Amino acid sequence: QQRTPKEMRAARFVEIPSLHQAGVFRRPAVMMATDGGTFRDDFHWPVDLHFWLNWFHHNLLCGKLNEDLYFWRQHPCQQTRTHGRLSIDNLRRCKIHFILKPGGPAHGHEDNLESFVSTTVVQVWSIGKTLKDWVQDLLDHEFAPYQVLEVEYKPGWPIPKNILTREKARLQKHKLVRLIAFGAQKARTRVRSAIPNWDDDHDIFV
């Protein structure tokens, strides 16, 4: 469980750091995270995920107390499990929005061009349908990367050979961002120790 500001920010694309109903916030920070004081409430994706990703997008900080002061009851019929905007597809699209939008970790463009042309190469590390869906949604986004590369990989497998490295990308005048799509903490720990030259800013668990 993430408790420090650094841990919570690093895991922002995996899960929300906390229930915002349980937090105590400064008004100026909420105004920034809600783009003016109004929670986004639509059918595109979850309100709380949008709030927290916008919070971190504005480089705001949050932390947790060591004591457990609040409990949240889970049940099968709650909207978290049943509402359409909370689907896996919508969660992924919300994350991609903040990964690729201006100021996001995978946003990149040529400053001297009037139209948007990305200079970022994104590698997606995962397997099966998860891998395919992430790649397709990245390509479909209005700020799509210059290139999206599939890396079929499971924790414990050897690191694939001949994949684009950060050094090679830099020589080609591209920024390399690696998105690693594994939900289980145990899997993320194994992947984190296996991938070489880890960069906290550009190697991101999603």
Side-chain angles (χ1 to χ4, degrees), residues 30-32 34-39:
V30 173
M31 295 295 285
M32 292 176 67
T34 56
D35 296 323
T38 302
F39 278 89

Side-chain angles (χ1 to χ4, degrees), residues 120-196:
T120 302
V121 175
V122 173
Q123 282 180 351
V124 182
W125 293 55
S126 193
I127 195 168
K129 188 176 186 301
T130 299
L131 176 60
K132 300 295 183 183
D133 288 345
W134 268 92
V135 168
Q136 190 59 57
D137 282 348
L138 285 162
L139 291 171
D140 289 343
H141 196 272
E142 63 175 320
F143 295 119
Y146 170 79
Q147 191 175 21
V148 181
L149 303 175
E150 295 183 17
V151 179
E152 192 166 0
Y153 179 79
K154 286 181 67 174
W157 287 8
I159 298 297
K161 296 181 179 179
N162 301 320
I163 60 174
L164 182 68
T165 64
R166 186 157 285 117
E167 292 74 20
K168 290 179 181 178
R170 192 176 296 117
L171 290 174
Q172 299 170 10
K173 301 186 184 304
H174 293 303
K175 176 175 70 175
L176 177 65
V177 175
R178 297 186 285 201
L179 304 181
I180 301 97
F182 294 102
Q185 179 61 53
K186 184 177 180 180
R188 297 198 300 273
T189 300
R190 294 183 68 185
V191 172
R192 173 67 178 80
S193 63
I195 292 181

Side-chain angles (χ1 to χ4, degrees), residues 16-40:
I16 61 174
S18 176
L19 298 166
H20 60 269
Q21 300 95 324
V24 178
F25 303 95
R26 294 183 183 275
R27 181 183 293 273
V30 173
M31 295 295 285
M32 292 176 67
T34 56
D35 296 323
T38 302
F39 278 89
R40 179 189 175 113

Side-chain angles (χ1 to χ4, degrees), residues 26-82:
R26 294 183 183 275
R27 181 183 293 273
V30 173
M31 295 295 285
M32 292 176 67
T34 56
D35 296 323
T38 302
F39 278 89
R40 179 189 175 113
D41 189 11
D42 56 32
F43 288 89
H44 295 297
W45 49 58
V47 175
D48 52 356
L49 181 60
H50 182 94
F51 171 83
W52 281 114
L53 290 182
N54 211 23
W55 178 278
F56 290 115
H57 187 76
H58 287 288
N59 295 314
L60 297 169
L61 298 177
C62 60
K64 292 181 180 177
L65 299 174
N66 291 325
E67 299 86 3
D68 292 326
L69 303 179
Y70 194 94
F71 294 92
W72 187 267
R73 182 173 60 90
Q74 301 275 345
H75 60 87
C77 295
Q78 68 188 58
Q79 286 200 351
T80 303
R81 305 180 190 278
T82 61

